Amino acid sequence: MIKKLDKYFINLFLKKVLMISLIFFSLIFVLTIFEEITFFGDTQSAFYLPFLIAILNVPTTLLEIFPFVILISAQILFIEITKKKENELIKVNNLNNLYLIKLLTICSFTLGILIITVYYPISSKLKFIYFDIKNVYSDDGKYLKHFNENGIWIKDEINNEIFIINGQSKEGSFLNDVFLSKFDSDFNLIENIFAKKIDISSNEWVIEEPTLFKDNQQTKLNGNIIINSHFNIDKINSTFRDLNSFNLFQLIDIKKENMLLGYSSQDIDLHYLKILTLPIYLSIIVTISSIIMLNIKRDQPYIFHVLLGITLSVIIYYINNIFNIFGLTNTIPVSLSIFFPIIFLGIVSIIGLIRINEK
């Protein structure tokens, strides 16, 4: 009988998760499609393209709000079984209040594992395709950046002139040992420029005391020259692709490249840990949701507890973001910015479980 109960409640919970996921999928798609239609409004793209890339983008966004999906699904589950008095089946089989919580927690943890191993690789690939398609129709499509063992390579177009830039390393807002080749629109070489240091803190690059190579002549300047660029330190530090467009193995490769070049990888570490700890996070969220719903009093409407759960999830979301910012700004270690909220919520859940079990 207990195995039948397990199967029944798990299936019921998964149906709620699927239903809420489809609702959020539809809402995200509707909100996204307007942005994509605006983006492609001035292009010669096919009419279906905005709809296609909106669909490609939705899975990643849905992943980000999946804890909300789990929380709401658990609350709807408790409301339904309470209204149908199916919770009496638990008492009839001499099971306590922790039985259903444990069942939902294990189910959520398993869902988290499946998300990491199956859903996330698929959603990251779709996000990658999303950026590839948008890059074709974006003005930024002609601006490229690449990292390898020879440093950073940049292709930029400025006033119908093409620049190929190679910097050996980056220190603060400066590129060091930079070799810059300038071509016309037909890729005829105009001149080469070498500089020990270039200030790239803004889109106006300050090339300090450069050496010019033109018409087989070498000229050393004592002053600085300024060129306008589509790049600055913030854009160069970014990958041009949301980290959600890379699977876990690609994130490791990107981190290795950053370490080779001496660039910060805190955002990668943060994203990597967030993905890996997702099963634990989902388990805690469903536990908190269950505790809230099991504390329903007869004189209180269900909507009160649903709103309370949603409010708490929003608070948790912002607390996580605050700690993420602390981690990215070196205020606290990145690992602590991920695990401290989880540990705190875990302690709160344990306290709630103890009180539930005493009832």
Side-chain angles (χ1 to χ4, degrees):
M1 182 63 186
I2 294 177
K3 289 184 178 179
K4 289 182 179 180
L5 279 178
D6 291 349
K7 186 176 180 180
Y8 173 75
F9 286 123
I10 289 174
N11 288 337
L12 190 60
F13 178 61
L14 292 178
K15 287 179 182 178
K16 302 304 178 188
V17 172
L18 179 60
M19 179 186 71
I20 300 301
S21 297
L22 290 175
I23 292 174
F24 274 100
F25 187 97
S26 302
L27 290 174
I28 295 169
F29 176 78
V30 170
L31 294 174
T32 305
I33 192 62
F34 293 110
E35 178 183 347
E36 303 303 342
I37 290 175
T38 301
F39 177 85
F40 286 98
D42 297 328
T43 67
Q44 300 299 319
S45 62
F47 76 94
Y48 61 83
L49 195 56
F51 299 91
L52 173 62
I53 68 167
I55 292 176
L56 294 174
N57 189 41
V58 170
T60 298
T61 307
L62 182 63
L63 177 60
E64 294 175 357
I65 63 172
F66 198 74
F68 292 92
V69 173
I70 289 290
L71 182 139
I72 295 173
S73 300
Q75 291 185 317
I76 293 176
L77 171 70
F78 275 99
I79 290 174
E80 181 173 323
I81 64 176
T82 302
K83 284 184 176 181
K84 293 181 178 180
K85 296 185 178 180
E86 292 175 343
N87 55 330
E88 298 297 328
L89 293 173
I90 298 175
K91 297 178 182 179
V92 169
N93 287 275
N94 296 319
L95 299 171
N96 57 26
N97 290 325
L98 294 180
Y99 160 75
L100 192 53
I101 296 179
K102 182 175 72 174
L103 198 63
L104 297 182
T105 300
I106 294 173
C107 190
S108 298
F109 187 87
T110 305
L111 277 175
I113 297 295
L114 289 174
I115 288 173
I116 293 175
T117 56
V118 180
Y119 183 89
Y120 180 73
I122 295 174
S123 68
S124 63
K125 182 62 178 179
L126 294 177
K127 189 77 170 183
F128 188 93
I129 297 172
Y130 166 85
F131 278 116
D132 267 356
I133 294 175
K134 290 199 73 171
N135 191 54
V136 172
Y137 292 91
S138 172
D139 290 338
D140 287 340
K142 56 189 176 183
Y143 314 131
L144 305 174
K145 183 195 70 174
H146 176 66
F147 292 111
N148 63 21
E149 65 275 6
N150 295 319
I152 181 173
W153 290 86
I154 296 173
K155 173 179 175 288
D156 200 357
E157 292 188 21
I158 308 167
N159 298 327
N160 295 321
E161 295 177 331
I162 301 170
F163 290 79
I164 304 296
I165 304 157
N166 173 225
Q168 291 299 311
S169 63
K170 180 179 71 66
E171 183 179 354
S173 59
F174 291 89
L175 279 182
N176 298 323
D177 298 324
V178 184
F179 193 84
L180 186 153
S181 298
K182 184 194 297 186
F183 302 86
D184 62 22
S185 58
D186 295 322
F187 266 95
N188 297 311
L189 180 64
I190 299 175
E191 65 178 347
N192 292 313
I193 302 174
F194 174 79
K196 282 288 186 181
K197 185 179 291 187
I198 296 181
D199 184 351
I200 57 172
S201 57
S202 68
N203 291 93
E204 291 187 345
W205 287 17
V206 180
I207 305 177
E208 300 182 0
E209 300 181 351
T211 300
L212 307 182
F213 302 88
K214 186 175 183 180
D215 299 329
N216 295 322
Q217 293 183 352
Q218 176 177 328
T219 306
K220 173 69 174 179
L221 301 182
N222 294 323
N224 302 330
I225 60 175
I226 297 176
I227 64 171
N228 292 315
S229 174
H230 295 96
F231 293 86
N232 54 46
I233 184 63
D234 293 329
K235 195 168 185 179
I236 287 177
N237 281 337
S238 70
T239 60
F240 288 158
R241 298 182 187 271
D242 193 295
L243 290 177
N244 284 307
S245 66
F246 297 101
N247 62 42
L248 297 179
F249 298 106
Q250 289 172 325
L251 289 173
I252 294 175
D253 291 337
I254 295 172
K255 181 178 178 179
K256 289 179 180 178
E257 289 180 356
N258 285 2
M259 292 177 63
L260 184 66
L261 298 170
Y263 297 160
S264 172
S265 298
Q266 289 172 308
D267 55 341
I268 298 175
D269 292 335
L270 186 70
H271 182 74
Y272 198 85
L273 286 175
K274 283 175 67 176
I275 296 298
L276 290 182
T277 57
L278 183 62
I280 301 174
Y281 186 55
L282 294 181
S283 301
I284 293 175
I285 289 294
V286 80
T287 301
I288 292 175
S289 176
S290 302
I291 291 170
I292 293 173
M293 299 308 291
L294 285 173
N295 278 285
I296 291 179
K297 297 180 181 179
R298 293 182 179 179
D299 58 340
Q300 287 182 330
Y302 292 109
I303 189 64
F304 170 80
H305 293 81
V306 173
L307 292 176
L308 176 61
I310 294 175
T311 302
L312 285 176
S313 64
V314 172
I315 293 173
I316 292 170
Y317 174 81
Y318 281 107
I319 289 175
N320 280 331
N321 277 354
I322 290 172
F323 274 92
N324 289 346
I325 293 172
F326 286 161
L328 291 174
T329 56
N330 286 322
T331 305
I332 59 176
V334 170
S335 57
L336 184 59
S337 70
I338 293 295
F339 287 108
F340 182 83
I342 290 178
I343 293 172
F344 175 76
L345 292 174
I347 294 173
V348 172
S349 299
I350 292 173
I351 296 173
L353 290 174
I354 293 173
R355 293 181 177 179
I356 285 291
N357 192 46
E358 292 174 350
K359 292 187 177 182

